[in-house]
Amino acid sequence: MASSRFIFLLSFLILISSSKPATATATITIPLSSPTSTKLNISSKNPWGEVYHLASLSLSRAHHIKSPKTNLSLIKTPLFPRSYGGYSISLRFGTPPQTTKLVMDTGSSLVWFPCTSRYLCSKCDFPNIEAAGIPAFMPKLSSSSNLIGCKNKKCSWLFGPKIQSRCQECDPTTQNCTQACPPYVLQYGSGSTAGLLLSETLDFPDKKTIPGFVVGCSLFSIRQPEGIAGFGRSPESLPSQLGLKKFSYCLVSHAFDDSPASSDLVLDTGSGSGDTKTPGLSYTRFQKNPTTAFPDYYYVLLRNIIIGEIALQISSPRIRW
C-alpha cells in the first residue's frame, strides 16, 4: 500500500512541476554578526542546559570583544542534539524562504528535506515526533523551485554520466528537454528516503542567497523524521555546493537532546583566511579511497593501533571518519 502511494506521489509531483535549467552558484561571503539582545528563561527542568547556554554566550562574547570581525568569511550556525539521533541545523530554502531542520551527516552528500504535505515517514515513532505532522517544505509556495532536468549535468551528480542514456523522452538533437531527472532512493545505516531532485535558492542571513542549489525533495522515508544535510565529499554535498574550504564543529552531549543547548557549526569559505592553522592543535590530511566505493566518506591513515601496551600487527590502516 505504501509503495503504491509513493509511486502516485512521485507521478503527481512530476506532473505539477516544470523543469527549468538551474543557474550557476555565485560566490558568497557572509559576515558574522552578534545578537543584539538575548532572552533566557531559566527552567528547573533542565538547569544544566541553561548553564551551558549561558557559558557558551559568555565565551562567544569574549571572543567577539577580543577579535571583532577578524574574518568575514566565517558562517556560524547552531547544532542541536536530537533524541532520534544526530545533530540538526536549520536552513532556509525557497522564495520566499521556508525554514527547515536537517540532520548534519558527514557520511552522505545529498541535502534533502520532506517535501509534500503528504510526506510519509515509516517507523518514525520517536520521542517528541508526530509522524503524521512532520513539517515539510512546500515547492508550490516557492517561485524559485524547479525540477532538475534529465539533461542537466547536476542530475549526473547522483546518477553518474550514463544517466544521459536514460533520458529516453529527450530529443538527442536538442538540449531543451522537459524530462525530469529520475527519482532517487538513498539508503542510510538508520533508514532510507526517496524523492526527486530540485533546483532551489538557499537563503543565508543578511539576505545572502545562493541560487541553483541542488536539493532533494523527499516524499517517503523510513526512520528519517527530518531532512539530512549531507557534508560528504561528493559534488552534491552542502560544503561542495557552497565552495567551502573547511568546516568544523563541536558536539554537546546527547544528555541535552531536544533542549535549547547547542554547539557551533563553523563554515569557512577560505576568503582571506588562507590555510591558517590553530596553534596547539595537530593536523592530518584526509585520504581518498583508492576504490570507487563510498566516495562520500572522509578517510585518515593511522600509523599504529595500540591496545594497552600491545601494538597490533597491521600496517597503515585506513579509517573512515
Side-chain angles (χ1 to χ4, degrees), residues 140-189:
K140 65 181 181 180
L141 301 181
S142 171
S143 61
S144 55
S145 184
N146 299 289
L147 280 173
I148 295 290
C150 193
K151 287 287 188 180
N152 191 319
K153 66 177 183 180
K154 294 180 179 180
C155 180
S156 63
W157 287 357
L158 240 65
F159 298 98
K162 293 184 179 180
I163 187 60
Q164 302 296 328
S165 63
R166 295 173 56 184
C167 301
Q168 299 177 357
E169 298 177 16
C170 295
D171 184 347
T173 62
T174 179
Q175 291 296 320
N176 297 323
C177 176
T178 58
Q179 182 180 353
C181 190
Y184 62 81
V185 178
L186 299 176
Q187 184 70 45
Y188 301 94

Side-chain angles (χ1 to χ4, degrees), residues 77-148:
T77 184
L79 278 172
F80 294 93
R82 298 302 183 192
S83 57
Y84 50 81
Y87 294 78
S88 75
I89 61 176
S90 292
L91 296 176
R92 288 155 53 89
F93 288 93
T95 307
Q98 302 175 44
T99 301
T100 183
K101 296 177 181 179
L102 306 102
V103 174
M104 178 193 177
D105 181 24
T106 58
S108 66
S109 289
L110 182 66
V111 180
W112 66 267
F113 42 52
C115 187
T116 172
S117 58
R118 298 182 180 180
Y119 177 71
L120 301 176
C121 188
S122 176
K123 300 180 181 179
C124 282
D125 50 345
F126 299 101
N128 305 315
I129 293 292
E130 292 291 338
I134 295 174
F137 179 87
M138 304 302 292
K140 65 181 181 180
L141 301 181
S142 171
S143 61
S144 55
S145 184
N146 299 289
L147 280 173
I148 295 290

Side-chain angles (χ1 to χ4, degrees), residues 292-305:
T292 57
F294 309 113
D296 298 318
Y297 296 156
Y298 296 87
Y299 295 86
V300 294
L301 290 177
L302 300 182
R303 294 183 182 276
N304 357 150
I305 298 178

Side-chain angles (χ1 to χ4, degrees), residues 2 8 14 25 51 53 81 90 102 104 110 139 143 150 157 179 200 208 223 235 245 258 283 314 316:
F8 169 76
I14 293 173
T25 301
V51 170
H53 184 63
S90 292
L102 306 102
M104 178 193 177
L110 182 66
S143 61
C150 193
W157 287 357
Q179 182 180 353
E200 251 303 356
K208 304 295 183 180
R223 298 185 62 82
K245 300 300 181 182
D258 302 323
Y283 292 81
I314 53 179
S316 300

Side-chain angles (χ1 to χ4, degrees):
M1 184 66 179
S3 176
S4 61
R5 183 180 297 182
F6 171 53
I7 294 174
F8 169 76
L9 289 173
L10 285 178
S11 302
F12 179 72
L13 185 58
I14 293 173
L15 287 174
I16 65 172
S17 304
S18 62
S19 176
K20 300 177 183 178
T23 57
T25 301
T27 301
I28 298 295
T29 301
I30 302 176
L32 287 173
S33 60
S34 58
T36 55
S37 62
T38 301
K39 181 179 181 181
L40 181 65
N41 296 320
I42 300 298
S43 170
S44 59
K45 294 182 179 179
N46 188 16
W48 289 111
E50 307 296 356
V51 170
Y52 180 88
H53 184 63
L54 282 170
S56 298
L57 288 176
S58 297
L59 289 172
S60 298
R61 184 164 53 252
H63 177 75
H64 178 72
I65 293 173
K66 182 179 180 181
S67 306
K69 299 181 180 179
T70 55
N71 192 338
L72 299 182
S73 66
L74 295 179
I75 306 168
K76 295 179 70 175
T77 184
L79 278 172
F80 294 93
R82 298 302 183 192
S83 57
Y84 50 81
Y87 294 78
S88 75
I89 61 176
S90 292
L91 296 176
R92 288 155 53 89
F93 288 93
T95 307
Q98 302 175 44
T99 301
T100 183
K101 296 177 181 179
L102 306 102
V103 174
M104 178 193 177
D105 181 24
T106 58
S108 66
S109 289
L110 182 66
V111 180
W112 66 267
F113 42 52
C115 187
T116 172
S117 58
R118 298 182 180 180
Y119 177 71
L120 301 176
C121 188
S122 176
K123 300 180 181 179
C124 282
D125 50 345
F126 299 101
N128 305 315
I129 293 292
E130 292 291 338
I134 295 174
F137 179 87
M138 304 302 292
K140 65 181 181 180
L141 301 181
S142 171
S143 61
S144 55
S145 184
N146 299 289
L147 280 173
I148 295 290
C150 193
K151 287 287 188 180
N152 191 319
K153 66 177 183 180
K154 294 180 179 180
C155 180
S156 63
W157 287 357
L158 240 65
F159 298 98
K162 293 184 179 180
I163 187 60
Q164 302 296 328
S165 63
R166 295 173 56 184
C167 301
Q168 299 177 357
E169 298 177 16
C170 295
D171 184 347
T173 62
T174 179
Q175 291 296 320
N176 297 323
C177 176
T178 58
Q179 182 180 353
C181 190
Y184 62 81
V185 178
L186 299 176
Q187 184 70 45
Y188 301 94
S190 59
S192 59
T193 190
L196 296 168
L197 290 181
L198 294 181
S199 170
E200 251 303 356
T201 295
L202 174 59
D203 181 86
F204 271 113
D206 290 337
K207 299 181 180 179
K208 304 295 183 180
T209 58
I210 299 174
F213 191 95
V214 174
V215 63
C217 169
S218 283
L219 309 179
F220 175 81
S221 294
I222 298 175
R223 298 185 62 82
Q224 302 297 328
E226 290 184 349
I228 287 182
F231 271 71
R233 306 180 78 173
S234 296
E236 70 271 18
S237 74
L238 190 141
S240 295
Q241 292 197 66
L242 293 185
L244 298 183
K245 300 300 181 182
K246 47 192 170 183
F247 61 90
S248 62
Y249 55 92
C250 180
L251 303 176
V252 298
S253 169
H254 272 295
F256 301 109
D257 280 356
D258 302 323
S259 76
S262 67
S263 54
D264 281 335
L265 168 64
V266 181
L267 310 178
D268 189 351
T269 64
S271 176
S273 62
D275 294 326
T276 304
K277 295 183 178 180
T278 303
L281 294 182
S282 298
Y283 292 81
T284 184
R285 290 183 178 274
F286 286 123
Q287 305 293 316
K288 289 187 176 181
N289 191 347
T291 69
T292 57
F294 309 113
D296 298 318
Y297 296 156
Y298 296 87
Y299 295 86
V300 294
L301 290 177
L302 300 182
R303 294 183 182 276
N304 357 150
I305 298 178
I306 301 175
I307 300 178
E309 297 181 355
I310 302 175
L312 302 185
Q313 298 302 311
I314 53 179
S315 59
S316 300
R318 179 174 279 104
I319 305 298
R320 178 175 70 84
W321 170 52

